[in-house]
Amino acid sequence: MPTFIVSSAILKPAHDPQACAVGAPKMLRQAGLNDVVLRSCYCCSEYGSVVFIVDSKSRDAVLEAFNKINVPVASIVEAEEIKQPVKVTA
């Protein structure tokens, strides 16, 4: 499945970015949205936004899922992860 980076639009003041990130997987499951798999989240409390890394069949499926769980979306881009070599220190 392709990987997408989803940047939320600025959340309403009543919505805490960290709570949004923590609650998103549960909201996706409760909405029956099994075709969007949340891999990780990054919160920015200062700007009231969240960045999600998700796997899904398409950009449209991602947008539909986030609309259903009422998370405003600023952008969705397909991305490819480039694994970095792990540096082991003694």
Side-chain angles (χ1 to χ4, degrees):
M1 256 197 288
T3 298
F4 297 90
I5 298 172
V6 181
S7 296
S8 72
I10 295 174
L11 301 172
K12 295 177 184 175
H15 289 81
D16 174 46
Q18 189 170 4
C20 179
V22 170
K26 182 178 179 180
M27 292 186 294
L28 288 167
R29 279 192 309 276
Q30 287 177 338
L33 301 166
N34 300 322
D35 59 345
V36 175
V37 178
L38 187 58
R39 291 178 55 192
S40 59
C41 301
Y42 299 87
C43 301
C44 181
S45 296
E46 182 179 346
Y47 293 103
S49 64
V50 182
V51 173
F52 301 91
I53 310 299
V54 301
D55 291 333
S56 183
K57 62 183 179 181
S58 70
R59 181 189 178 285
D60 290 339
V62 174
L63 181 59
E64 182 180 334
F66 278 85
N67 284 339
K68 283 186 180 178
I69 64 171
N70 202 27
V71 173
V73 173
S75 67
I76 301 171
V77 294
E78 187 171 348
E80 179 181 352
E81 182 177 8
I82 306 300
K83 300 281 187 184
Q84 299 297 314
V86 177
K87 187 175 184 179
V88 179
T89 58

